[in-house]
Amino acid sequence: MPPVLLQALLILVYSWGLATSFTVIMSDSGVPSALIDGPQAGFSMNNNGARTDAREQEAVYDIMRATGNDWATDIPDVCRDRWHGIECMPDKDNVYHVVSLSFGALSDDTAFPTCEPARSYISQSVTKLPHIKTLFFYRCFDSNPQPIPAFLGQLGPTLQTLVLRENGHLGPIPNELGNLTRLRVLDLHKNNLNGSIPVSLGQITGLKSLDLSWNRLTGSIPNFSFPELNILDLSQNLLAGPIPPSIGTSRSLVKIDFSRNRLTGPIPESVTGLTDLILMDLSYNRLTGPLPRTLGSLRSLQALILRGNQMGSTTTLPFDLFDGMKDLMILILSNMNLHGLVPESIGRLPNLRVAYLDGNRLNGSIPTNFRELKHVSELRLNDNHLTGPVPFGREMVWRMRRKLRLYNNSGLCYTANSGFEDVLHSSFDSGIGLCETPRPSLSRTVQHFSTING
């Protein structure tokens, strides 16, 4: 498939508490173009009368000089004698036009032109490329910090992907970027941008990925409605106020990351309409309870991360909250001031791998059906008020070893001949002791029966 049909986007996906970079390919084949889809390599083939638009070639020379790549001016034809990082397409008259420019070393295997650290900048000559679809600058200006140029808004008729990632950009996001109405990908990750998120970005109704993470943005999240949006990452900013209810209108979302901001109020009920959502990370904000019962309708959800939100002194976990989340693999609810019982619905999650419920005020016993969690590799229940015998068998405890954390629950114990003591003789230390009088945990059954029928 010709690369012009593909737009490469770096996104961050939560994995075991760390941000991992990878590439998502997004098609732009549905966008009308006067250019002919043709081969992107081997332009030295015998094309009768083929040539590169002279004005665009001069513009590329200017752009390359601005990034410290003066060598490019020695290339007779920037499209037909091209380098990695430039893509061109012919029109019906066999004239080649520049459709993509990329700068910055993504890896040792990526040969995009790098930027000269001390003096690089984005040349205004990019506005002389009337067919440009992709602009990609990665770690190009961090030694020469500068604002995002407002003239990029002039590329509205054609630009589909704008990636200005880890460039050290200063100042606010220009309102003029709202003129990029054909944009599908906007990635401004990890700069030094401040000010509020421009309301003008709401004009880009076909946006599929918006990443403004790791900046210093303030103010509230606008009431955006992006019907085609898949990725929304506003993490690691200084955003305040509530999560707007309009989030529920972006029904194509697969990832929401608002972590490490100053957001307040409850999780809006409207999120339950996001039936394609795979990851929701709202951790380390100032959100309050109660948790919407209808979170269970997020049947595609694989990772739910809410830790670090002090939900309030009366917030509990509804007993059936997780019954609809059959795909859930990662559940992080640490340090949320949660009260009440551990829901048995967690024990009915067939794909659960990681569950953190530590640092809360949960009481009662550990549900006996937790022993059925065949795939769990990490379980944290430490620093709660749990009581009664631990229901895990030898195989489950050995599987988790040090990743099973039960300490600082003064009422927990293990029964004799359960196999738990075999593990304790190793280097593993659970922080709990042998039950003095082993007996069935009747209180747990009564508590859950009362809750269900209350």
Side-chain angles (χ1 to χ4, degrees):
M1 180 180 291
V4 75
L5 298 181
L6 304 177
Q7 300 298 336
L9 163 69
L10 286 174
I11 67 172
L12 298 180
V13 171
Y14 188 92
S15 176
W16 307 97
L18 299 175
T20 304
S21 298
F22 72 97
T23 302
V24 170
I25 303 299
M26 307 182 72
S27 172
D28 67 351
S29 57
V31 178
S33 175
L35 304 181
I36 300 170
D37 291 338
Q40 292 303 290
F43 285 151
S44 58
M45 67 180 73
N46 185 16
N47 287 322
N48 294 330
R51 65 191 186 282
T52 297
D53 185 282
R55 292 167 297 182
E56 294 183 41
Q57 173 141 319
E58 286 301 319
V60 170
Y61 287 159
D62 287 344
I63 295 164
M64 294 297 284
R65 281 191 289 261
T67 55
N69 292 289
D70 302 75
W71 51 266
T73 57
D74 295 329
I75 297 175
D77 190 321
V78 297
C79 284
R80 300 182 67 207
D81 302 310
R82 74 190 188 111
W83 61 86
H84 289 293
I86 185 172
E87 301 290 348
C88 301
M89 291 296 293
D91 61 19
K92 59 182 176 57
D93 297 318
N94 218 14
V95 176
Y96 282 89
H97 300 280
V98 177
V99 297
S100 176
L101 287 174
S102 300
F103 296 88
L106 294 175
S107 68
D108 294 338
D109 299 323
T110 304
F112 294 159
T114 56
C115 301
E116 204 285 316
R119 62 184 181 89
S120 291
Y121 64 96
I122 300 176
S123 169
Q124 192 162 356
S125 290
V126 297
T127 61
K128 299 176 182 178
L129 302 175
H131 301 277
I132 191 74
K133 293 184 177 182
T134 297
L135 271 180
F136 188 104
F137 290 91
Y138 176 65
R139 293 184 177 176
C140 275
F141 319 113
D142 46 346
S143 297
N144 181 29
Q146 54 201 268
I148 295 174
F151 59 71
L152 293 179
Q154 298 176 33
L155 304 176
T158 60
L159 197 65
Q160 296 174 11
T161 297
L162 177 60
V163 176
L164 304 175
R165 193 177 180 88
E166 298 187 38
N167 287 314
H169 288 297
L170 303 169
I173 300 171
N175 287 321
E176 288 82 357
L177 295 192
N179 296 329
L180 302 175
T181 53
R182 287 188 179 271
L183 210 59
R184 298 294 178 265
V185 175
L186 177 59
D187 186 343
L188 307 180
H189 167 76
K190 206 170 186 179
N191 288 289
N192 289 307
L193 300 170
N194 56 29
S196 59
I197 300 173
V199 176
S200 63
L201 296 185
Q203 300 169 188
I204 314 174
T205 55
L207 203 61
K208 291 183 178 292
S209 180
L210 177 61
D211 189 342
L212 306 180
S213 60
W214 288 74
N215 283 287
R216 293 182 291 124
L217 300 173
T218 56
S220 59
I221 301 173
N223 272 304
F224 288 143
S225 178
F226 297 116
E228 299 181 39
L229 196 66
N230 301 134
I231 308 294
L232 178 57
D233 193 341
L234 306 179
S235 61
Q236 297 276 354
N237 278 288
L238 303 172
L239 298 169
I243 298 173
S246 62
I247 192 75
T249 64
S250 300
R251 293 183 177 271
S252 297
L253 278 169
V254 296
K255 173 189 173 182
I256 296 174
D257 191 347
F258 293 166
S259 61
R260 296 185 184 274
N261 279 285
R262 300 173 180 179
L263 301 175
T264 56
I267 300 172
E269 294 277 353
S270 61
V271 301
T272 59
L274 305 177
T275 54
D276 294 332
L277 197 64
I278 292 175
L279 182 148
M280 178 191 288
D281 189 348
L282 307 178
S283 58
Y284 297 110
N285 279 284
R286 300 170 183 177
L287 301 175
T288 54
L291 292 172
R293 266 186 187 272
T294 47
L295 277 177
S297 64
L298 301 179
R299 299 184 181 276
S300 299
L301 202 64
Q302 296 181 22
L304 177 63
I305 304 107
L306 302 178
R307 65 178 166 190
N309 288 286
Q310 293 297 307
M311 284 288 181
S313 59
T314 61
T315 301
T316 59
L317 294 171
F319 73 94
D320 58 349
L321 181 62
F322 304 99
D323 273 335
M325 300 183 182
K326 299 304 182 184
D327 291 336
L328 197 67
M329 293 190 291
I330 299 174
L331 177 63
I332 311 294
L333 304 178
S334 308
N335 303 307
M336 294 178 61
N337 197 31
L338 296 171
H339 290 62
L341 303 176
V342 178
E344 289 185 351
S345 56
I346 295 177
R348 294 190 287 270
L349 295 173
N351 296 300
L352 194 64
R353 265 63 171 177
V354 177
Y356 294 176
L357 299 170
D358 53 297
N360 287 293
R361 298 187 178 186
L362 299 170
N363 56 35
S365 58
I366 301 172
T368 56
N369 67 351
F370 270 40
R371 73 177 66 197
E372 305 301 324
L373 296 171
K374 303 298 185 183
H375 302 294
V376 167
S377 59
E378 291 190 42
L379 178 60
R380 297 184 186 179
L381 295 169
N382 54 284
D383 296 293
N384 280 289
H385 304 299
L386 301 174
T387 58
V390 174
F392 313 134
R394 179 186 293 108
E395 180 183 347
M396 187 174 185
V397 176
W398 270 102
R399 183 171 70 240
M400 289 187 279
R401 299 293 295 276
R402 292 185 178 276
K403 293 182 179 179
L404 172 61
R405 300 185 184 181
L406 303 173
Y407 55 84
N408 288 342
N409 286 285
S410 58
L412 281 182
C413 60
Y414 65 92
T415 58
N417 303 318
S418 65
F420 205 87
E421 64 273 18
D422 297 342
V423 181
L424 296 181
H425 293 156
S426 69
S427 58
F428 170 75
D429 181 10
S430 68
I432 62 173
L434 181 67
C435 299
E436 293 183 4
T437 308
R439 60 182 182 276
S441 182
L442 180 60
S443 61
R444 174 76 197 191
T445 305
V446 172
Q447 283 175 309
H448 272 287
F449 184 82
S450 299
T451 304
I452 293 170
N453 291 279

